[in-house]
């Protein structure tokens, strides 16, 4: 019985250490990707027209990139706290009349709104060609209709 308990304790410790390392790597990758997106982001703008949201990528606790077209990418900073933005599997937006506005609209994470503070257009073509992204995966997660709330932005297979 003691041996079985000792083995289970050892496995639990290994699992926690491995999970901690995976989370640290993920947080590190998100921070590196945020720096890449910021390098190619333009000046903050008041709004963006969104006819179809093609995908998204978490970039830490208060940043997200959204794709409105193949090369149309926006860096969005949300107000803190935005609980679980880094780790969620889906996000949603509800643009008003196809406009997503800074300081007015929100990104929805697990049903909770995270108010948008800033929106910046990213020169995604330049970002993809840059030396800092060589061999890195910067592609978005696809959007799902269920993630977009009451007034869904049309979903796309994204990718």
């Amino acid at each position: 019985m003691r041996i079985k308990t000792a083995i289970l304790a050892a496995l639990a410790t290994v699992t926690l250490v491995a999970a901690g390392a995976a989370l640290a790597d993920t947080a590190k990758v998100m921070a590196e990707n945020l720096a890449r997106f910021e390098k190619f982001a333009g000046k903050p703008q008041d709004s963006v027209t969104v006819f179809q949201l093609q995908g998204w990528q978490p970039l830490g606790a208060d940043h997200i990139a959204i794709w409105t077209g193949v090369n149309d990418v926006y860096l969005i900073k949300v107000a803190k706290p935005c609980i679980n933005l880094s780790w969620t599997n889906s996000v949603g937006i509800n643009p008003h009349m196809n406009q997503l506005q800074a300081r007015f609209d929100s990104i929805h994470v697990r049903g909770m709104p995270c108010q948008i503070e800033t929106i910046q257009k990213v020169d995604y073509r330049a970002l993809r060609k840059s030396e800092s992204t060589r061999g890195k995966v910067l592609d978005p997660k696809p959007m799902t209709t269920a993630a977009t709330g009451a007034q869904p932005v049309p979903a796309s297979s994204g990718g």
Side-chain angles (χ1 to χ4, degrees), residues 8-138:
L8 289 175
L11 284 174
T13 301
V14 169
T15 302
L16 288 175
V17 170
L23 291 177
D25 288 345
T26 303
K28 180 181 177 189
V29 168
M30 281 191 270
E32 290 170 351
N33 285 342
L34 175 58
R36 289 181 183 100
F37 277 84
E38 287 177 327
K39 182 177 179 182
F40 293 93
K43 294 180 180 178
Q45 55 193 64
D46 291 331
S47 65
V48 60
T49 300
V50 179
F51 290 110
Q52 185 171 19
L53 192 59
Q54 295 202 347
W56 64 285
Q57 183 181 102
L59 298 169
D62 60 352
H63 284 86
I64 185 172
I66 63 167
W67 276 252
T68 60
V70 174
N71 289 306
D72 295 324
V73 181
Y74 295 86
L75 177 62
I76 295 179
K77 181 178 182 184
V78 295
K80 287 184 180 180
C82 187
I83 299 169
N84 293 319
L85 178 60
S86 301
W87 315 113
T88 191
N89 292 324
S90 65
V91 297
I93 63 168
N94 290 328
H96 297 88
M97 300 183 71
N98 296 324
Q99 290 289 310
L100 193 60
Q101 297 181 13
R103 300 170 305 281
F104 179 75
D105 288 317
S106 300
I107 301 289
H108 298 269
V109 178
R110 295 183 181 177
M112 300 297 296
C114 300
Q115 186 177 21
I116 296 171
E117 287 186 350
T118 61
I119 301 170
Q120 296 171 271
K121 174 85 170 144
V122 175
D123 185 345
Y124 192 61
R125 286 186 176 111
L127 171 64
R128 296 280 302 206
K129 290 179 183 178
S130 75
E131 195 67 33
S132 69
T133 61
R134 196 162 286 164
K136 308 290 186 218
V137 177
L138 298 176

